[in-house]
C-alpha cells in the first residue's frame, strides 16, 4: 500500500556493496542497470495488488475498511513481535488491543480510541503476568506494537469517517506512495549525503528531500480535481504525509538485526515494510484534516 519503500535513496558508499553481488564481467557488460530496472519492475508488480486492495477497502469504508485494516494490522504486529521474539512479547494482548482500537474508531471517536489506548496498559500488564517468562522488555515491545500500529490504524478509520474522508484517505495514500517512490528513485540518482548512517546507510538527505517534494506535489495536484480541498490545505496535508515513518522502521529493524520485517511481498519485505510511512501519515493526516473539515 505504501508502494515504493526500501530507502530514501542509496548513497555512493552503498554502491560498492551492490556491485559486489554481481561478477566483474556482469558489471562491465552493463548488467547492473538492467538489474536496477528489474528491481523497480518487481516493486511495481508488488505495489499493484496492494494498491487495488487499499482502494477497495477505502471505497467500501465502514466495517469493510476496519476489517481490512485489522487483517493488515495483525500481520504487521506478528512481524514486529516475530523480530523480537526473544523479548517474549504478549501477542494476544496486542491483537486484543488492535481490535478494541479499531472498534472504538469505527463506532465511537477519538475519545473512545484514547480510552481503549489507556485501558490497553492494565490489560497488557495482567496478561504479561500470566506469561511463562514475564518481562518488562516483552511488555514494552507489545506496547510499541499497540501504539505504533494499532493507534495509527485507528486514526485511519477515524480519518475515513470525516467529511470527504474517502478522498482524503486516498490523497494520503497517493502522497505516501509518491513520496516513497520519489525518495527511492531520487536517492539512487542524486543521493550523496547520508541521512542517518547509523540507522540506515542507504538513506540520503537528497532522497528524503525529493520524496517530500513528491509527496507535497502529489497531494496538491490531487486537490486540483477535488473542489472541497483548497490548495493551501493540500500543501499542509502533503507535508504531513512526507516519507518520515520509514526511518523509524529502519531503526526498529536495525536494532533487531534484520533487513525486512517479513516475506509477505517476497524479496521486497513484509506488510510492516509497506505500511511504515502510512502509519505515521494516517495520524498526522487525521489531525490536519480535522482542523480543516
Amino acid at each position: 500500500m505504501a508502494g515504493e519503500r526500501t530507502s530514501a535513496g542509496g548513497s555512493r558508499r552503498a554502491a560498492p556493496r551492490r556491485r559486489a553481488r554481481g561478477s566483474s564481467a556482469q558489471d562491465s557488460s552493463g548488467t547492473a542497470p538492467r538489474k536496477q530496472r528489474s528491481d523497480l519492475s518487481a516493486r511495481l508488480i508488488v505495489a499493484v495488488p496492494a494498491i487495488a486492495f487499499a482502494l477497495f477497502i477505502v471505497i467500501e469504508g465502514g466495517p469493510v475498511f476496519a476489517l481490512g485494516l485489522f487483517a493488515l494490522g495483525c500481520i504487521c504486529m506478528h512481524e514486529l513481535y516475530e523480530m523480537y521474539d526473544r523479548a517474549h512479547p504478549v501477542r494476544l494482548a496486542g491483537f486484543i488491543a488492535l481490535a478494541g482500537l479499531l472498534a472504538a474508531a469505527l463506532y465511537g471517536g477519538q475519545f473512545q480510541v484514547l480510552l481503549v489506548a489507556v485501558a490497553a496498559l492494565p490489560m497488557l500488564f495482567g496478561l504479561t503476568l500470566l506469561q511463562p517468562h514475564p518481562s518488562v522488555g516483552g511488555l514494552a515491545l507489545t506496547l510499541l506494537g499497540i501504539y505504533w500500529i494499532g493507534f495509527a490504524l485507528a486514526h485511519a478509520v477515524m480519518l475515513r469517517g470525516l467529511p470527504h474522508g474517502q478522498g482524503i484517505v486516498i490523497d494520503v495514500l497517493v502522497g505516501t506512495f509518491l513520496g516513497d517512490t520519489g525518495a527511492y528513485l531520487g536517492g539512487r540518482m542524486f543521493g550523496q549525503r547520508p541521512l542517518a548512517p547509523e540507522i540506515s546507510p542507504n538513506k540520503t538527505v537528497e532522497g528524503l528531500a525529493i520524496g517530500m517534494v513528491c509527496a507535497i506535489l502529489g497531494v496538491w495536484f490531487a486537490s486540483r480535481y477535488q473542489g472541497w480541498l483548497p490548495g493551501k490545505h493540500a500543501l499542509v496535508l502533503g507535508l504531513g504525509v512526507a516519507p518520515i515513518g520509514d526511518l523509524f522502521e529502519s531503526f526498529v529493524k536495525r536494532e533487531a538485526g534484520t533487513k525486512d520485517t517479513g516475506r509477505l511481498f517476497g524479496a521486497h519485505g513484509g506488510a510492516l515494510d509497506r505500511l511504515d510511512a502510512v502509519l505515521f501519515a494516517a495520524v498526522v493526516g487525521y489531525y490536519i484534516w480535522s482542523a480543516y473539515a
Side-chain angles (χ1 to χ4, degrees):
M1 199 156 26
E4 313 301 307
R5 172 75 72 253
T6 296
S7 69
S11 68
R12 287 181 178 176
R13 295 193 302 174
R17 290 197 295 271
R18 289 195 295 269
R19 290 195 296 267
R21 288 197 288 266
S23 66
S24 58
Q26 289 175 329
D27 292 340
S28 62
S29 65
T31 300
R34 290 198 299 270
K35 185 175 182 179
Q36 290 180 4
R37 288 194 296 269
S38 176
D39 181 68
L40 179 59
S41 299
R43 292 176 182 278
L44 291 175
I45 291 173
V46 168
V48 168
I51 292 173
F53 175 76
L55 289 176
F56 169 73
I57 63 174
V58 170
I59 292 172
E60 289 294 320
V64 172
F65 186 52
L67 287 173
L69 293 185
F70 177 71
L72 291 172
C74 285
I75 296 173
C76 289
M77 280 190 173
H78 169 74
E79 292 175 348
L80 173 63
Y81 297 154
E82 193 67 21
M83 283 194 298
Y84 286 94
D85 185 62
R86 63 184 181 276
H88 305 294
V90 188
R91 299 168 187 261
L92 178 61
F95 298 143
I96 291 175
L98 173 63
L101 287 167
L102 292 174
L106 180 63
Y107 297 110
Q110 64 185 55
F111 294 108
Q112 286 73 23
V113 168
L114 181 60
L115 176 63
V116 173
V118 171
L121 184 56
M123 181 270 296
L124 169 59
F125 179 57
L127 291 179
T128 298
L129 296 179
L130 297 177
Q131 300 300 300
H133 305 284
S135 68
V136 174
L139 186 149
L141 181 64
T142 308
L143 206 58
L144 171 63
I146 292 173
Y147 290 125
W148 179 25
I149 299 170
F151 201 62
L153 294 181
H155 278 76
V157 172
M158 291 192 294
L159 179 60
R160 176 62 178 83
L162 291 177
H164 305 293
Q166 175 181 307
I168 289 295
V169 171
I170 292 176
D171 289 345
V172 168
L173 292 177
V174 168
T176 304
F177 177 84
L178 293 178
D180 286 348
T181 304
Y184 175 76
L185 296 179
R188 294 190 73 162
M189 291 186 291
F190 306 108
Q192 295 184 4
R193 301 174 182 82
L195 177 63
E198 295 301 319
I199 298 177
S200 182
N202 289 338
K203 291 179 173 60
T204 62
V205 174
E206 293 82 2
L208 176 63
I210 293 172
M212 292 180 68
V213 171
C214 289
I216 293 170
L217 291 180
V219 177
W220 185 81
F221 276 113
S223 73
R224 300 301 84 199
Y225 300 93
Q226 298 169 327
W228 43 266
L229 180 59
K232 61 179 181 179
H233 295 172
L235 291 175
V236 176
L237 184 64
L239 180 62
V241 303
I244 302 297
D246 186 39
L247 187 63
F248 177 81
E249 192 218 12
S250 294
F251 175 72
V252 174
K253 290 191 296 185
R254 189 171 186 84
E255 195 69 19
T258 183
K259 180 180 180 294
D260 298 314
T261 61
R263 285 290 179 265
L264 181 64
F265 294 99
H268 301 287
L272 194 52
D273 291 313
R274 305 300 100 193
L275 286 174
D276 51 8
V278 176
L279 294 176
F280 276 61
V283 178
V284 176
Y286 171 76
Y287 289 107
I288 290 177
W289 186 238
S290 293
Y292 295 141

